[in-house]
Amino acid sequence: MILLLLMCGCIVGSTTVLFGFGGGFFIVPLLYALLTTGTDSRICDAAMHIAVATSTCVMIFSASMATFRQHQTGMIDWCLVRPLVGYIASGAVLGAIFAISMQGIWVKWIFISYLVITLLDSFFRPGFVTQAAGSVRPMSGGVTAITGTTIGIVAAFLGVGGSVMTVPLMRRRGAKMAQATAMANPLSLPMALAGTLTYIVIAWNDTAVPGRGFAGYVDVQAFILLVAGSWLGQKLSAPLIGRIPDRFYAKSYLGLLIFVLLVMVVI
């Protein structure tokens, strides 16, 4: 299990720095599968919540490291990122509360449904796979508030980071894939921080939550191994930042989503 988590962390590090994935699309299915094969009934019953909460916590570090690397390359437009930060953090608190109050099996199928909707939208609505990218069009104040809050709710609820919403959003507003994926990382940070604190605080006195080795719903051992692997994955992938052809970049992003969808349906 240790080697498997380290390898998953390495993949997460690569996808975070290259595609803006906070890691949830790999961590959530893996942890869910591992936790449901155990003999502890409390862990099995809370498997989906633990997987989502641990994934959210890992994102604090993977997104921070990726943001630093992307900032060094000049890919992040902070004028577009800053207005969304507060709204995403507020939405993340609500998303974490909703997830904890819902049975794990419902979280799993909502996760799957969200992936299907995202893929259909990206394939059939023009502007994602192929576009004439230019300067990114800014959003109005009202649209920023609604969009940011929605991203925070959905991302924390599913433990997937905001990339699955922010990348298509920035893409359709004129960003190249390299820009869109770069801006997904700093936008995942407020969600990860607010969501993790909520998962820990709300679950702290819940007797149904496994105590030893857990901080609320966060699996501490899995968290440490995934972060270590993520650091290595980002270090190995950093030379590819900004060098992947745009159309291939977009198709690869959708290919990763399809892979994760299939994994979640099977487990």
Side-chain angles (χ1 to χ4, degrees):
M1 187 181 74
I2 292 175
L3 181 59
L4 187 60
L5 288 171
L6 284 171
M7 290 174 61
C8 179
C10 191
I11 295 171
V12 166
S14 297
T15 57
T16 301
V17 77
L18 294 178
F19 296 96
F21 282 4
F25 291 114
F26 295 95
I27 295 173
V28 172
L30 174 64
L31 284 182
Y32 180 80
L34 291 175
L35 293 167
T36 51
T37 57
T39 57
D40 191 321
S41 60
R42 289 192 304 169
I43 293 178
C44 290
D45 291 342
M48 195 62 186
H49 291 144
I50 293 170
V52 170
T54 304
S55 169
T56 304
C57 191
V58 170
M59 270 182 268
I60 295 175
F61 293 88
S62 60
S64 294
M65 291 185 288
T67 296
F68 176 72
R69 292 183 186 278
Q70 294 282 11
H71 175 71
Q72 288 182 312
T73 65
M75 288 289 182
I76 299 175
D77 187 338
W78 290 102
C79 293
L80 294 170
V81 169
R82 290 191 190 97
L84 288 164
V85 170
Y87 296 114
I88 289 177
S90 300
V93 174
L94 296 175
I97 292 172
F98 292 156
I100 290 172
S101 64
M102 190 173 291
Q103 291 184 352
I105 189 64
W106 284 103
V107 178
K108 173 186 173 180
W109 285 106
I110 290 173
F111 185 101
I112 290 171
S113 300
Y114 185 72
L115 283 175
V116 171
I117 292 170
T118 301
L119 283 165
L120 290 174
D121 178 73
S122 298
F123 276 118
F124 295 108
R125 191 156 67 101
F128 187 88
V129 175
T130 303
Q131 64 155 242
S135 60
V136 186
R137 300 182 298 277
M139 295 180 289
S140 65
V143 173
T144 298
I146 295 172
T147 302
T149 303
T150 303
I151 290 171
I153 291 173
V154 174
F157 184 87
L158 300 177
V160 298
S163 65
V164 75
M165 299 184 74
T166 56
V167 170
L169 171 69
M170 294 298 179
R171 180 73 167 161
R172 290 206 169 88
R173 300 197 73 82
K176 295 180 180 179
M177 277 300 295
Q179 294 173 302
T181 54
M183 287 187 281
N185 287 309
L187 289 174
S188 292
L189 275 174
M191 182 286 300
L193 287 165
T196 297
L197 287 173
T198 304
Y199 279 121
I200 291 175
V201 171
I202 291 181
W204 200 263
N205 294 319
D206 189 345
T207 56
V209 179
R212 188 172 183 179
F214 290 82
Y217 279 111
V218 177
D219 185 328
V220 176
Q221 182 185 33
F223 162 77
I224 293 172
L225 292 170
L226 287 164
V227 168
S230 178
W231 175 83
L232 178 60
Q234 290 198 25
K235 190 173 182 64
L236 294 174
S237 302
L240 296 175
I241 295 175
R243 297 184 179 181
I244 303 175
D246 191 71
R247 185 180 175 85
F248 177 76
Y249 213 156
K251 289 183 176 181
S252 299
Y253 182 91
L254 297 179
L256 285 172
L257 291 189
I258 293 172
F259 171 76
V260 177
L261 173 62
L262 294 175
V263 172
M264 281 303 295
V265 170
V266 171
I267 66 173

